[in-house]
Amino acid sequence: MSTAPEKLSESDSPLDLSAIRADFPILDQTVQDKALCYLDNAATAQKPRQVIDAVAEYYRRDNANIHRGVHTLAERATAAYESARERMADFINASATEELIFLRGTTEAINLVAQSWARPRLEPGDEILVTELDHHSNIVPWQLVCEQTGATLRAVEVNERGELDLESFEALISRRPRLFAVGHVSNALGTINPVKHLVERAHAFGVPVLVDGAQATPHMAVDVQALGCDFYAFSGHKMYGPTGIGALWSRKELLTEMPPCQGGGEMIKMVSIERSVWNDVPHKFEAGTPNIAGAIGLAAAADYMESIGLDAIGDWEHRLLEHATRRLSETPGVTLIGTAEQKAAVVSFVVDGVHPHDLGTILDSEGVAIRAGHHCAMPLMEKLGLPATARASMAFYNTLEEIDTLADALVRARELLA
Amino acid sequence: MDLKDLYHEIIVDHNRRPRNFRRIENPTRVSEGYNPLCGDKLKLYVVEKDGVIEDVAFEGSGCAISMASASLLTERLKGKPAEEAETLFGQMHDLLTGKGEDIDTEALGKLAALEGVKAYPSRVKCATLCWHTLHAALQGEDLATTE
Ligand SMILES: Cc1ncc(COP(=O)(O)O)c(C=O)c1O
């Protein structure tokens, strides 16, 4: 238990935490008779009332199919969907609204780039470069396209702190792979990769870069123009928005060149049995009726985050990370996994004598929700020589007291099993 | 729910000091089990002669439930007819999935300590992994998963 009795007052927070927590109805409940302590935000974040209401309001008042009705509801729904696009393009500072494609999430976005951009370009002997830190959804789509084309997948190594090994990166990028795909923030360890630098180096070799931003948009202001990348993918549900909605951003020239991946309504201008004429970007990639309510909810999540302030969110999450790092490293038997200098509010750890899955069950009995497992990053776990870790991932609505609850529960887990 | 029902003292003990946790050099049967959900991995070695399990041992890593379950399995089956393994597998499966009203838990002995798992559906596969693996070994298959 903590020896240095630092004052754990929430008044230290730049945020009005009790007002913020009141916006998240789900946080106010007990689990197994204990107050819920939700520390599994990297899996999915909770949703504020503002998001839930935006979705409900849409279904209550505006629901209609978009882009093809002339009646009032269709016009309202279309306007709401397209203004959500504008909102999200602005959120990541895209230079044009039509550069943002609404998809199901990061996974679908990466698969789209793999199949529509990479597949026609790849030949046997070509390489695609990823990293050992990446999530399966930024590895497997590339494996598939490599199998389809005879190209080879390579991965930048990570060091023992869980950072990308820049020498390994230099060696591999100088081989001029056809594309470099890299996570902005690691979901398993929290490492924030130096994306801007990586993009500069990749471009120096003429290599385009896709960034998996699933774990970045919840925690920091993202500016795709400043990053300089060519593709950016993210998911709504990780950033306090609904599930089933996310986006791919890319530059208009690239998107215009890419053939669509799925055919259907919405993505065409004209269809005859002989041939069809594709619709313009972004509609070309949005075949079928999209997740209209999801897009509207996602825009509401972006509004909510900005109303709190992305800098304030970052500052408070950094405090949470520091506190969690200190409390967990002081807890006997706990070893932190991933000690990168630049980290988001994620702590991965193992506990001597207690398997991560037992930990997950034991912590649940204390109301504490964490994740245990390989975090969809089996190559990373293999590299670290661990079958699994436990992971606590924080959001701006978490408190220092919740981290204390976690640390105290770890002590009890060891008493029980170790 | 009381955690002590899940982490019964027998389970805690067998997790801390797994019995028959070793490799057998010349097994007549061997099979590997993998639970993709938890990453539990184990390798089960069996020496079967004239329908009797003369020796059984395991290696691997996993959560307390999977380790203790495998340890209890080896302790229980050493020297027993192979047929008994199949009967026990069925009984354990019913016990862990809550269909065990008719089971004589007294006859199960220490294996009954795993009963608490039935209140934790996500953990049932941890407890059954070693049984699936033994079943595969006795059938002459070299791989078992809980999927
Ligand atoms: C780093 C990273 N990339 C990609 C994904 C996949 O996101 P989704 O499941 O929303 O498509 C996740 C989520 O688990 C993630 O953490």
Side-chain angles (χ1 to χ4, degrees):
Chain A
M1 244 148 278
S2 172
T3 40
E6 183 195 332
K7 187 80 192 82
L8 298 179
S9 162
E10 282 167 18
S11 58
D12 292 355
S13 171
L15 306 178
D16 182 350
L17 277 186
S18 51
I20 286 173
R21 290 180 70 85
D23 285 336
F24 289 82
I26 204 169
L27 297 179
D28 181 23
Q29 66 174 299
T30 56
V31 166
Q32 312 239 24
D33 299 328
K34 304 277 169 50
L36 169 67
C37 180
Y38 188 76
L39 297 173
D40 193 19
N41 293 285
T44 199
Q46 300 304 349
K47 325 301 175 199
R49 212 166 13 85
Q50 289 80 345
V51 168
I52 300 168
D53 290 351
V55 171
E57 219 21 49
Y58 164 74
Y59 280 126
R60 262 198 214 110
R61 205 186 50 202
D62 302 329
N63 179 51
N65 212 328
I66 54 170
H67 293 311
R68 42 185 173 242
V70 287
H71 57 77
T72 303
L73 294 194
E75 273 169 11
R76 264 197 235 144
T78 305
Y81 181 72
E82 288 305 326
S83 87
R85 190 193 307 280
E86 199 177 329
R87 182 72 191 82
M88 295 318 296
D90 183 60
F91 188 71
I92 57 168
N93 196 31
S95 59
T97 298
E98 63 272 25
E99 293 183 340
L100 191 122
I101 303 162
F102 278 127
L103 297 165
R104 268 197 303 139
T106 307
T107 303
E108 191 174 29
I110 297 174
N111 276 283
L112 171 62
V113 178
Q115 290 302 317
S116 170
W117 186 86
R119 189 172 178 180
R121 284 174 172 73
L122 288 177
E123 288 177 12
D126 284 346
E127 292 181 1
I128 293 279
L129 185 60
V130 295
T131 85
E132 289 177 343
L133 258 184
D134 279 293
H135 188 280
H136 293 166
S137 65
N138 197 26
I139 296 176
V140 185
W142 306 115
Q143 268 168 356
L144 284 173
V145 75
C146 283
E147 262 169 41
Q148 289 156 344
T149 59
T152 306
L153 186 65
R154 295 191 186 275
V156 176
E157 290 182 40
V158 288
N159 65 24
E160 66 289 347
R161 291 188 302 278
E163 296 163 329
L164 292 182
D165 176 340
L166 293 180
E167 273 177 34
S168 159
F169 168 69
E170 286 294 331
L172 290 165
I173 203 75
S174 68
R175 298 169 59 91
R176 298 178 195 271
R178 296 305 298 251
L179 182 91
F180 175 44
V182 61
H184 195 164
V185 173
S186 154
N187 67 304
L189 304 181
T191 312
I192 302 175
N193 287 322
V195 169
K196 198 168 170 197
H197 168 76
L198 301 174
V199 169
E200 274 169 21
R201 294 300 300 148
H203 284 178
F205 290 96
V207 180
V209 181
L210 173 139
V211 180
D212 167 358
Q215 296 293 343
T217 48
H219 301 295
M220 60 183 76
V222 169
D223 179 338
V224 290
Q225 294 187 66
L227 289 174
C229 58
D230 302 280
F231 299 97
Y232 198 92
F234 63 98
S235 296
H237 70 100
K238 309 255 187 210
M239 52 172 288
Y240 317 102
T243 52
I245 187 77
L248 172 70
W249 167 86
S250 180
R251 270 189 257 101
K252 193 158 177 200
E253 318 85 83
L254 286 170
L255 293 173
T256 307
E257 283 173 10
M258 285 161 57
C261 223
Q262 293 188 348
E266 198 82 54
M267 52 75 69
I268 37 74
K269 272 187 178 153
M270 191 282 295
V271 178
S272 68
I273 295 300
E274 291 72 36
R275 59 184 280 271
S276 302
V277 179
W278 311 142
N279 204 337
D280 295 328
V281 165
H283 308 292
K284 180 169 80 173
F285 298 107
E286 295 179 0
T289 303
N291 185 350
I292 307 164
I296 291 166
L298 178 54
D303 285 343
Y304 185 79
M305 288 179 73
E306 285 188 354
S307 75
I308 289 170
L310 285 151
D311 289 343
I313 287 174
D315 288 348
W316 180 238
E317 289 185 352
H318 191 69
R319 275 292 311 278
L320 292 169
L321 175 66
E322 281 179 344
H323 188 64
T325 305
R326 189 169 61 78
R327 283 300 317 265
L328 264 55
S329 31
E330 283 170 5
T331 306
V334 174
T335 306
L336 295 181
I337 308 296
T339 50
E341 234 162 82
Q342 298 294 322
K343 271 185 68 170
V346 171
V347 281
S348 233
F349 56 96
V350 291
V351 179
D352 221 18
V354 188
H355 189 276
H357 278 94
D358 295 310
L359 209 52
T361 299
I362 297 168
L363 293 184
D364 183 58
S365 76
E366 307 265 350
V368 181
I370 59 145
R371 183 70 144 219
H374 52 59
H375 316 297
C376 295
M378 287 170 93
L380 174 66
M381 294 290 140
E382 176 88 38
K383 173 79 174 218
L384 298 171
L386 296 166
T389 71
R391 177 190 73 188
S393 52
M394 281 77 78
F396 59 81
Y397 45 64
N398 287 123
T399 65
L400 299 172
E401 287 80 355
E402 287 179 303
I403 288 161
D404 293 337
T405 304
L406 165 69
D408 294 345
L410 293 179
V411 173
R412 282 194 290 280
R414 281 198 82 216
E415 285 165 4
L416 187 67
L417 283 190
Chain B
M1 250 173 296
D2 190 350
L3 267 187
K4 293 270 189 238
D5 292 340
L6 179 64
Y7 296 111
H8 189 285
E9 59 190 57
I10 291 178
I11 292 179
V12 172
D13 173 47
H14 278 254
N15 175 48
R16 284 194 189 129
R17 294 184 305 117
R19 319 298 197 268
N20 302 304
F21 189 80
R22 61 188 157 84
R23 183 190 165 87
I24 294 177
E25 283 309 328
N26 294 304
T28 55
R29 302 190 179 263
V30 65
S31 182
E32 282 183 69
Y34 180 51
N35 174 1
L37 182 74
C38 292
D40 300 330
K41 255 186 204 156
L42 58 89
K43 194 164 185 179
L44 203 67
Y45 305 90
V46 182
V47 179
E48 188 195 353
K49 229 181 235 158
D50 305 326
V52 174
I53 298 175
E54 291 200 335
D55 196 8
V56 50
F58 77 107
E59 288 180 315
S61 66
C63 64
I65 304 300
S66 69
M67 288 292 104
S69 182
S71 171
L72 289 164
L73 173 150
T74 60
E75 196 181 62
R76 172 62 185 256
L77 285 177
K78 215 160 144 179
K80 298 279 168 23
E83 279 164 23
E84 196 171 326
E86 296 293 331
T87 317
L88 277 171
F89 182 17
Q91 291 183 346
M92 286 304 289
H93 193 271
D94 288 350
L95 182 77
L96 296 170
T97 51
K99 292 182 218 121
E101 297 89 13
D102 315 331
I103 291 172
D104 178 2
T105 45
E106 223 150 272
L108 282 177
K110 283 193 206 166
L111 289 174
L114 286 159
E115 188 174 4
V117 175
K118 73 181 179 201
Y120 298 82
S122 66
R123 306 300 302 276
V124 170
K125 287 176 175 177
C126 308
T128 52
L129 177 64
C130 59
W131 290 95
H132 284 285
T133 312
L134 177 71
H135 177 74
L138 295 175
Q139 300 293 312
E141 294 160 13
D142 51 13
L143 195 68
T145 80
T146 55
E147 292 302 280

